[in-house]
Amino acid sequence: PDEQVVDPYLVASRLADDAVIAYHSALQFHGKAYSLHHRHYYLAKQRLRPFSFQGQEYVAVTQPKTPGAVDDPDPGIEQISHRGLSVRVTSLERTLVDVLAEPDKGGGWEELDRSLEMIEFVDLDAVVDYTLRFQNAAIAARVGYYLERRQQEWMVDATYLERLASCAPRQPRYLDRRRFPSGRLVKPWNLIIPPSLLDRSWEEPE
């Protein structure tokens, strides 16, 4: 037993009856994380303390409450067979929105930007519908900004951007004022984006 390595996704999926692998851990599970992290996030309705096991850290996140249809109170959760057991994990579409809503749980902005570039295709209806459930202007703007950046790759129709832009902040707002106190204003999202993110300054020159 001391030498047997237990799959961290199976551990996370069994830490609560309603556990759901989420945020950067979901990106890793779907094979869309730029970097592999040893901190594993999972959603749970009850508050649970973080702990470490076999060099992995497990952090419970109380499931965020988002307004929406009564018949679908917890959208974007998939049951997937993994190593012979069923695990619950947020869909790629929900994960995209969740990490933009809480970038620290997605590994930070550089990791997020690199990871989201690895996604080849998303269900745009699911992305926009889930985003609008938050009724949060900043989240709508962040998602809209990233969809616009991937407009060609993901074949994002202008109607999706218009739906999100109509919910964007009325006044300029920093993407992340705590980390990026300066930047350039990007319309129609009214987001002040740092040059490092706009120009992808961390990328190696060709």
Side-chain angles (χ1 to χ4, degrees):
D2 293 338
E3 299 177 358
Q4 179 63 45
V5 178
V6 182
D7 185 288
Y9 300 113
L10 296 183
V11 174
S13 70
R14 296 305 189 271
L15 294 177
D17 291 340
D18 60 345
V20 181
I21 298 166
Y23 298 103
H24 192 274
S25 305
L27 287 175
Q28 287 188 184
F29 186 90
H30 290 296
K32 304 303 179 185
Y34 180 77
S35 305
L36 295 181
H37 290 187
H38 297 292
R39 173 176 291 180
H40 301 276
Y41 290 103
Y42 64 98
L43 302 174
K45 288 187 172 66
Q46 64 186 112
R47 294 185 179 275
L48 299 168
R49 291 182 178 179
F51 73 98
S52 297
F53 174 67
Q54 292 188 341
Q56 310 291 320
E57 184 181 3
Y58 297 89
V59 179
V61 179
T62 304
Q63 292 206 35
K65 295 180 180 179
T66 57
V70 176
D71 59 347
D72 189 16
D74 203 10
I77 293 178
E78 301 175 340
Q79 282 199 319
I80 299 176
S81 178
H82 179 68
R83 295 185 180 273
L85 293 175
S86 178
V87 301
R88 301 173 75 219
V89 59
T90 55
S91 67
L92 200 55
E93 289 77 13
R94 173 169 175 171
T95 303
L96 184 154
V97 179
D98 284 345
V99 294
L100 288 174
E102 299 193 60
D104 286 345
K105 295 182 178 67
W109 290 106
E110 179 180 343
E111 171 71 13
L112 271 182
D113 197 57
R114 291 176 179 269
S115 297
L116 297 184
E117 282 197 334
M118 299 173 65
I119 300 175
E120 297 90 2
F121 174 80
V122 290
D123 182 335
L124 294 167
D125 287 306
V127 170
V128 175
D129 288 345
Y130 179 66
T131 300
L132 296 181
R133 289 173 64 118
F134 282 89
Q135 299 182 4
N136 183 296
I139 294 174
R142 289 176 180 180
V143 174
Y145 169 72
Y146 269 90
L147 290 187
E148 187 176 56
R149 285 183 63 164
R150 302 302 307 276
Q151 187 169 7
Q152 183 175 355
E153 294 88 345
W154 292 348
M155 296 181 289
V156 181
D157 189 85
T159 56
Y160 294 110
L161 301 178
E162 290 167 0
R163 289 179 64 191
L164 293 170
S166 67
C167 300
R170 298 293 180 88
Q171 301 296 326
R173 186 176 298 186
Y174 287 91
L175 177 72
D176 188 336
R177 187 167 190 169
R178 178 172 59 89
R179 296 198 174 196
F180 307 114
S182 62
R184 299 202 299 266
L185 180 64
V186 176
K187 295 280 192 174
W189 313 112
N190 271 334
L191 286 178
I192 300 175
I193 309 291
S196 60
L197 193 59
L198 284 170
D199 305 331
R200 293 185 172 94
S201 60
W202 52 76
E203 290 187 348
E204 296 180 5
E206 295 183 0

